[in-house]
Structures are given as structure tokens and as C-alpha cells.
Short mmCIF file of all heavy atoms in Angstrom, two decimals:
data_model
loop_
_atom_site.label_atom_id
_atom_site.label_comp_id
_atom_site.label_asym_id
_atom_site.label_seq_id
_atom_site.Cartn_x
_atom_site.Cartn_y
_atom_site.Cartn_z
N PRO A 404 200.22 -12.37 -5.86
CA PRO A 404 201.35 -12.25 -4.92
C PRO A 404 202.18 -13.53 -4.93
O PRO A 404 201.64 -14.63 -4.91
CB PRO A 404 200.68 -12.03 -3.57
CG PRO A 404 199.29 -11.54 -3.90
CD PRO A 404 198.92 -12.19 -5.19
N ASP A 405 203.49 -13.37 -5.01
CA ASP A 405 204.40 -14.52 -4.94
C ASP A 405 204.72 -14.78 -3.48
O ASP A 405 205.42 -14.00 -2.83
CB ASP A 405 205.67 -14.22 -5.75
CG ASP A 405 206.56 -15.45 -5.92
OD1 ASP A 405 206.43 -16.37 -5.10
OD2 ASP A 405 207.37 -15.46 -6.87
N ARG A 406 204.20 -15.88 -2.96
CA ARG A 406 204.37 -16.18 -1.54
C ARG A 406 205.83 -16.42 -1.18
O ARG A 406 206.19 -16.43 0.00
CB ARG A 406 203.53 -17.40 -1.17
CG ARG A 406 202.04 -17.26 -1.53
CD ARG A 406 201.37 -16.16 -0.74
NE ARG A 406 199.97 -15.97 -1.14
CZ ARG A 406 199.14 -15.10 -0.58
NH1 ARG A 406 199.57 -14.34 0.41
NH2 ARG A 406 197.90 -14.97 -1.01
N GLU A 407 206.68 -16.64 -2.18
CA GLU A 407 208.09 -16.87 -1.91
C GLU A 407 208.87 -15.55 -1.79
O GLU A 407 210.03 -15.55 -1.40
CB GLU A 407 208.71 -17.72 -3.02
CG GLU A 407 208.13 -19.14 -3.09
CD GLU A 407 208.76 -19.95 -4.19
OE1 GLU A 407 209.61 -19.39 -4.92
OE2 GLU A 407 208.42 -21.13 -4.32
N ASP A 408 208.22 -14.46 -2.16
CA ASP A 408 208.88 -13.15 -2.06
C ASP A 408 208.77 -12.64 -0.62
O ASP A 408 207.67 -12.47 -0.11
CB ASP A 408 208.23 -12.14 -3.00
CG ASP A 408 208.56 -12.42 -4.46
OD1 ASP A 408 209.50 -13.18 -4.72
OD2 ASP A 408 207.85 -11.88 -5.34
N PRO A 409 209.88 -12.38 0.05
CA PRO A 409 209.82 -11.90 1.44
C PRO A 409 209.43 -10.43 1.49
O PRO A 409 209.42 -9.72 0.47
CB PRO A 409 211.26 -12.10 1.93
CG PRO A 409 212.09 -11.97 0.70
CD PRO A 409 211.26 -12.55 -0.42
N ARG A 410 209.13 -9.97 2.69
CA ARG A 410 208.77 -8.57 2.87
C ARG A 410 209.94 -7.63 2.59
O ARG A 410 209.75 -6.46 2.30
CB ARG A 410 208.26 -8.34 4.30
CG ARG A 410 206.96 -9.06 4.61
CD ARG A 410 206.57 -8.88 6.07
NE ARG A 410 205.33 -9.60 6.38
CZ ARG A 410 204.12 -9.08 6.30
NH1 ARG A 410 203.98 -7.83 5.90
NH2 ARG A 410 203.04 -9.77 6.60
N THR A 411 211.14 -8.16 2.66
CA THR A 411 212.34 -7.34 2.44
C THR A 411 212.75 -7.32 0.97
O THR A 411 213.87 -6.98 0.64
CB THR A 411 213.51 -7.87 3.27
OG1 THR A 411 213.71 -9.27 2.97
CG2 THR A 411 213.21 -7.73 4.76
N LEU A 412 211.83 -7.68 0.07
CA LEU A 412 212.14 -7.78 -1.36
C LEU A 412 212.54 -6.43 -1.93
O LEU A 412 211.87 -5.42 -1.71
CB LEU A 412 210.92 -8.33 -2.10
CG LEU A 412 211.06 -8.47 -3.62
CD1 LEU A 412 211.97 -9.65 -3.95
CD2 LEU A 412 209.69 -8.66 -4.27
N ASN A 413 213.63 -6.42 -2.68
CA ASN A 413 213.98 -5.29 -3.53
C ASN A 413 213.62 -5.66 -4.96
O ASN A 413 213.75 -6.82 -5.36
CB ASN A 413 215.47 -4.97 -3.43
CG ASN A 413 215.87 -4.53 -2.04
OD1 ASN A 413 215.21 -3.70 -1.43
ND2 ASN A 413 216.95 -5.10 -1.52
N PHE A 414 213.20 -4.69 -5.74
CA PHE A 414 212.76 -5.02 -7.10
C PHE A 414 212.99 -3.83 -8.03
O PHE A 414 213.19 -2.70 -7.59
CB PHE A 414 211.27 -5.39 -7.11
CG PHE A 414 210.37 -4.27 -6.66
CD1 PHE A 414 209.93 -3.30 -7.56
CD2 PHE A 414 209.99 -4.17 -5.34
CE1 PHE A 414 209.13 -2.26 -7.13
CE2 PHE A 414 209.18 -3.13 -4.90
CZ PHE A 414 208.75 -2.16 -5.80
N GLU A 415 212.94 -4.13 -9.32
CA GLU A 415 212.95 -3.08 -10.34
C GLU A 415 212.22 -3.60 -11.56
O GLU A 415 212.48 -4.71 -12.03
CB GLU A 415 214.37 -2.66 -10.72
CG GLU A 415 214.38 -1.54 -11.75
CD GLU A 415 215.72 -0.84 -11.85
OE1 GLU A 415 216.56 -1.04 -10.97
OE2 GLU A 415 215.90 -0.07 -12.81
N VAL A 416 211.28 -2.79 -12.05
CA VAL A 416 210.58 -3.13 -13.28
C VAL A 416 211.53 -2.82 -14.43
O VAL A 416 211.85 -1.66 -14.70
CB VAL A 416 209.27 -2.33 -13.41
CG1 VAL A 416 208.57 -2.68 -14.73
CG2 VAL A 416 208.34 -2.60 -12.24
N VAL A 417 211.99 -3.87 -15.12
CA VAL A 417 212.96 -3.69 -16.20
C VAL A 417 212.28 -3.13 -17.44
O VAL A 417 212.77 -2.20 -18.08
CB VAL A 417 213.66 -5.03 -16.52
CG1 VAL A 417 214.65 -4.86 -17.66
CG2 VAL A 417 214.36 -5.56 -15.28
N GLY A 418 211.13 -3.70 -17.81
CA GLY A 418 210.40 -3.19 -18.96
C GLY A 418 209.70 -4.29 -19.73
O GLY A 418 209.61 -5.44 -19.28
N LYS A 419 209.20 -3.92 -20.88
CA LYS A 419 208.52 -4.87 -21.77
C LYS A 419 209.54 -5.39 -22.78
O LYS A 419 210.04 -4.66 -23.62
CB LYS A 419 207.36 -4.17 -22.49
CG LYS A 419 206.44 -5.12 -23.25
CD LYS A 419 205.24 -4.36 -23.79
CE LYS A 419 204.24 -5.28 -24.46
NZ LYS A 419 203.05 -4.54 -24.95
N ILE A 420 209.85 -6.68 -22.66
CA ILE A 420 210.90 -7.31 -23.46
C ILE A 420 210.27 -8.45 -24.27
O ILE A 420 209.75 -9.41 -23.69
CB ILE A 420 212.04 -7.88 -22.58
CG1 ILE A 420 212.52 -6.83 -21.56
CG2 ILE A 420 213.19 -8.38 -23.44
CD1 ILE A 420 213.15 -5.62 -22.15
N GLY A 421 210.29 -8.34 -25.60
CA GLY A 421 209.73 -9.39 -26.44
C GLY A 421 208.28 -9.70 -26.13
O GLY A 421 207.86 -10.86 -26.18
N GLY A 422 207.50 -8.69 -25.77
CA GLY A 422 206.09 -8.88 -25.46
C GLY A 422 205.83 -9.36 -24.05
O GLY A 422 204.68 -9.48 -23.64
N LYS A 423 206.88 -9.65 -23.28
CA LYS A 423 206.74 -10.07 -21.88
C LYS A 423 207.19 -8.92 -20.96
O LYS A 423 207.93 -8.02 -21.38
CB LYS A 423 207.61 -11.31 -21.61
CG LYS A 423 207.34 -12.49 -22.53
CD LYS A 423 206.02 -13.16 -22.23
CE LYS A 423 205.81 -14.39 -23.08
NZ LYS A 423 206.78 -15.48 -22.77
N PHE A 424 206.76 -8.99 -19.72
CA PHE A 424 207.15 -7.99 -18.73
C PHE A 424 208.17 -8.60 -17.79
O PHE A 424 207.90 -9.61 -17.13
CB PHE A 424 205.92 -7.48 -17.97
CG PHE A 424 204.92 -6.81 -18.87
CD1 PHE A 424 203.82 -7.50 -19.32
CD2 PHE A 424 205.10 -5.50 -19.29
CE1 PHE A 424 202.89 -6.91 -20.17
CE2 PHE A 424 204.19 -4.89 -20.14
CZ PHE A 424 203.08 -5.60 -20.58
N LEU A 425 209.35 -7.97 -17.73
CA LEU A 425 210.47 -8.50 -16.98
C LEU A 425 210.68 -7.67 -15.72
O LEU A 425 210.77 -6.43 -15.79
CB LEU A 425 211.73 -8.48 -17.84
CG LEU A 425 212.97 -9.23 -17.33
CD1 LEU A 425 212.67 -10.73 -17.28
CD2 LEU A 425 214.16 -8.97 -18.26
N ILE A 426 210.75 -8.36 -14.58
CA ILE A 426 210.93 -7.69 -13.30
C ILE A 426 212.08 -8.37 -12.55
O ILE A 426 212.08 -9.60 -12.39
CB ILE A 426 209.65 -7.72 -12.46
CG1 ILE A 426 208.55 -6.91 -13.19
CG2 ILE A 426 209.89 -7.14 -11.06
CD1 ILE A 426 207.19 -6.99 -12.54
N TYR A 427 213.03 -7.57 -12.12
CA TYR A 427 214.17 -8.06 -11.36
C TYR A 427 213.82 -8.03 -9.88
O TYR A 427 213.25 -7.05 -9.37
CB TYR A 427 215.40 -7.20 -11.63
CG TYR A 427 216.51 -7.33 -10.63
CD1 TYR A 427 217.37 -8.43 -10.63
CD2 TYR A 427 216.72 -6.34 -9.67
CE1 TYR A 427 218.40 -8.53 -9.71
CE2 TYR A 427 217.76 -6.43 -8.75
CZ TYR A 427 218.59 -7.53 -8.77
OH TYR A 427 219.61 -7.63 -7.86
N LYS A 428 214.15 -9.11 -9.16
CA LYS A 428 213.87 -9.19 -7.73
C LYS A 428 215.13 -9.64 -7.00
O LYS A 428 215.87 -10.48 -7.48
CB LYS A 428 212.74 -10.19 -7.45
CG LYS A 428 211.42 -9.81 -8.10
CD LYS A 428 210.34 -10.85 -7.82
CE LYS A 428 209.02 -10.49 -8.49
NZ LYS A 428 207.97 -11.52 -8.23
N ASN A 429 215.32 -9.05 -5.84
CA ASN A 429 216.49 -9.37 -5.01
C ASN A 429 216.07 -9.40 -3.55
O ASN A 429 215.46 -8.44 -3.06
CB ASN A 429 217.60 -8.35 -5.24
CG ASN A 429 218.62 -8.33 -4.13
OD1 ASN A 429 218.83 -7.30 -3.51
ND2 ASN A 429 219.23 -9.47 -3.85
N ALA A 430 216.37 -10.49 -2.89
CA ALA A 430 216.15 -10.61 -1.45
C ALA A 430 217.38 -11.25 -0.84
O ALA A 430 217.75 -12.38 -1.20
CB ALA A 430 214.91 -11.45 -1.15
N ARG A 431 218.03 -10.50 0.03
CA ARG A 431 219.30 -10.96 0.61
C ARG A 431 220.29 -11.27 -0.52
O ARG A 431 220.64 -10.39 -1.29
CB ARG A 431 219.06 -12.14 1.55
CG ARG A 431 218.20 -11.75 2.77
CD ARG A 431 217.95 -12.94 3.67
NE ARG A 431 217.11 -13.94 3.05
CZ ARG A 431 215.78 -13.89 3.05
NH1 ARG A 431 215.16 -12.91 3.64
NH2 ARG A 431 215.07 -14.84 2.47
N ASP A 432 220.75 -12.50 -0.65
CA ASP A 432 221.72 -12.83 -1.69
C ASP A 432 221.08 -13.58 -2.86
O ASP A 432 221.80 -14.14 -3.70
CB ASP A 432 222.85 -13.69 -1.10
CG ASP A 432 223.68 -12.90 -0.09
OD1 ASP A 432 223.82 -11.69 -0.28
OD2 ASP A 432 224.18 -13.52 0.87
N ASP A 433 219.76 -13.61 -2.94
CA ASP A 433 219.07 -14.28 -4.04
C ASP A 433 218.62 -13.25 -5.07
O ASP A 433 218.00 -12.23 -4.72
CB ASP A 433 217.85 -15.05 -3.52
CG ASP A 433 218.26 -16.23 -2.64
OD1 ASP A 433 219.33 -16.81 -2.90
OD2 ASP A 433 217.52 -16.55 -1.70
N HIS A 434 218.93 -13.52 -6.33
CA HIS A 434 218.59 -12.61 -7.42
C HIS A 434 217.81 -13.39 -8.47
O HIS A 434 218.26 -14.45 -8.93
CB HIS A 434 219.86 -12.02 -8.04
CG HIS A 434 220.73 -11.31 -7.03
ND1 HIS A 434 220.71 -9.95 -6.87
CD2 HIS A 434 221.66 -11.78 -6.14
CE1 HIS A 434 221.58 -9.61 -5.92
NE2 HIS A 434 222.16 -10.70 -5.46
N PHE A 435 216.63 -12.86 -8.86
CA PHE A 435 215.76 -13.55 -9.81
C PHE A 435 215.25 -12.57 -10.86
O PHE A 435 215.19 -11.36 -10.64
CB PHE A 435 214.55 -14.16 -9.09
CG PHE A 435 214.88 -15.30 -8.17
CD1 PHE A 435 215.19 -15.06 -6.84
CD2 PHE A 435 214.88 -16.60 -8.63
CE1 PHE A 435 215.50 -16.10 -5.98
CE2 PHE A 435 215.18 -17.65 -7.78
CZ PHE A 435 215.49 -17.40 -6.45
N PHE A 436 214.86 -13.15 -12.00
CA PHE A 436 214.10 -12.43 -13.01
C PHE A 436 212.74 -13.10 -13.15
O PHE A 436 212.66 -14.28 -13.47
CB PHE A 436 214.83 -12.41 -14.36
CG PHE A 436 216.05 -11.54 -14.35
CD1 PHE A 436 217.32 -12.09 -14.16
CD2 PHE A 436 215.94 -10.17 -14.51
CE1 PHE A 436 218.44 -11.29 -14.14
CE2 PHE A 436 217.07 -9.37 -14.49
CZ PHE A 436 218.32 -9.92 -14.31
N SER A 437 211.68 -12.35 -12.85
CA SER A 437 210.33 -12.86 -12.99
C SER A 437 209.75 -12.36 -14.30
O SER A 437 209.88 -11.17 -14.64
CB SER A 437 209.45 -12.41 -11.82
OG SER A 437 209.88 -13.01 -10.62
N VAL A 438 209.10 -13.26 -15.04
CA VAL A 438 208.55 -12.96 -16.35
C VAL A 438 207.03 -13.07 -16.27
O VAL A 438 206.49 -14.09 -15.80
CB VAL A 438 209.10 -13.92 -17.42
CG1 VAL A 438 208.55 -13.57 -18.80
CG2 VAL A 438 210.63 -13.89 -17.43
N TYR A 439 206.33 -12.05 -16.75
CA TYR A 439 204.87 -12.02 -16.72
C TYR A 439 204.34 -11.85 -18.15
O TYR A 439 204.95 -11.15 -18.98
CB TYR A 439 204.37 -10.87 -15.85
CG TYR A 439 204.78 -10.98 -14.40
CD1 TYR A 439 206.00 -10.50 -13.96
CD2 TYR A 439 203.94 -11.59 -13.47
CE1 TYR A 439 206.39 -10.61 -12.63
CE2 TYR A 439 204.31 -11.70 -12.14
CZ TYR A 439 205.53 -11.21 -11.72
OH TYR A 439 205.92 -11.32 -10.41
N ASP A 440 203.17 -12.46 -18.40
CA ASP A 440 202.56 -12.30 -19.72
C ASP A 440 201.66 -11.07 -19.74
O ASP A 440 201.64 -10.27 -18.77
CB ASP A 440 201.79 -13.57 -20.11
CG ASP A 440 200.63 -13.87 -19.19
OD1 ASP A 440 200.21 -12.99 -18.41
OD2 ASP A 440 200.12 -15.02 -19.24
N SER A 441 200.88 -10.89 -20.81
CA SER A 441 200.06 -9.70 -20.98
C SER A 441 198.96 -9.60 -19.93
O SER A 441 198.41 -8.51 -19.70
CB SER A 441 199.45 -9.67 -22.38
OG SER A 441 198.64 -10.82 -22.58
N GLU A 442 198.61 -10.72 -19.30
CA GLU A 442 197.60 -10.72 -18.24
C GLU A 442 198.24 -10.73 -16.85
O GLU A 442 197.57 -11.00 -15.85
CB GLU A 442 196.67 -11.92 -18.40
CG GLU A 442 195.87 -11.89 -19.69
CD GLU A 442 195.01 -10.65 -19.81
OE1 GLU A 442 194.36 -10.29 -18.80
OE2 GLU A 442 194.99 -10.03 -20.90
N MET A 443 199.54 -10.47 -16.80
CA MET A 443 200.33 -10.43 -15.56
C MET A 443 200.34 -11.76 -14.84
O MET A 443 200.40 -11.83 -13.60
CB MET A 443 199.84 -9.30 -14.64
CG MET A 443 200.04 -7.91 -15.22
SD MET A 443 201.76 -7.58 -15.74
CE MET A 443 202.62 -7.57 -14.17
N LYS A 444 200.28 -12.85 -15.61
CA LYS A 444 200.47 -14.18 -15.05
C LYS A 444 201.96 -14.52 -15.10
O LYS A 444 202.63 -14.30 -16.11
CB LYS A 444 199.68 -15.22 -15.85
CG LYS A 444 198.18 -14.97 -15.88
CD LYS A 444 197.56 -15.04 -14.48
CE LYS A 444 196.04 -14.86 -14.54
NZ LYS A 444 195.44 -14.83 -13.18
N LEU A 445 202.47 -15.05 -13.98
CA LEU A 445 203.88 -15.40 -13.89
C LEU A 445 204.14 -16.61 -14.78
O LEU A 445 203.58 -17.68 -14.57
CB LEU A 445 204.25 -15.70 -12.45
CG LEU A 445 205.72 -16.05 -12.18
CD1 LEU A 445 206.62 -14.85 -12.45
CD2 LEU A 445 205.90 -16.53 -10.73
#
């Protein structure tokens, strides 16, 4: 769990890109792309 992600987080699993897993996150006016490896480590 990312402790910086608020309860009001919006997200979308983008997909597997270049062997990594890309997830878009949006909370209020902040927009991020989180990248995870094959073991789901950020």
C-alpha cells in the first residue's frame, strides 16, 4: 500500500508496458504514473 495515496484515489490499470506494469493514479489535482516490476514492487 502506498501511504501517500488518499482514500479518494482514482486509478486505472494501463497495462504491461516494456515488461513493467503501469498504473495511472489521480487524487484531486495530482496525476501520477506508478511503475511496478514483476513482483509488484514500486
Side-chain angles (χ1 to χ4, degrees):
D405 190 337
R406 305 295 176 178
E407 296 180 357
D408 288 344
R410 294 176 182 269
T411 55
L412 178 73
N413 296 313
F414 62 85
E415 182 163 347
V416 179
V417 179
K419 190 173 185 178
I420 311 296
K423 304 288 184 66
F424 298 98
L425 191 65
I426 296 174
Y427 163 77
K428 299 179 181 179
N429 161 238
R431 296 179 292 275
D432 294 328
D433 293 327
H434 304 261
F435 292 89
F436 289 98
S437 293
V438 182
Y439 298 86
D440 63 15
S441 60
E442 297 301 316
M443 295 306 293
K444 300 297 183 184
L445 182 66

